[in-house]
Amino acid sequence: MSPEPSEDDLRFVRQMGVEYVVLWTDGTKAGPDYYASRRALSSGPA
């Protein structure tokens, strides 16, 4: 999976039954705002 997955990528993974994901990044993006955006993306729709 891409280090920058799309909503469709993550939706597909959730449909396969995956409940937890680990998304990697580097020092240029590491920070609270980036991690919050990745968490929102990986959580999917409520």
Side-chain angles (χ1 to χ4, degrees):
M1 179 175 284
S2 166
E4 294 290 332
S6 68
E7 289 184 40
D8 287 338
D9 293 334
L10 292 172
R11 186 177 306 113
F12 174 71
V13 171
R14 281 192 299 276
Q15 289 173 348
M16 293 185 345
V18 175
E19 295 182 25
Y20 301 97
V21 297
V22 175
L23 302 175
W24 296 93
T25 190
D26 60 27
T28 63
K29 294 181 181 173
D33 293 335
Y34 180 78
Y35 289 119
S37 74
R38 300 297 91 186
R39 182 174 182 179
L41 178 63
S42 66
S43 296

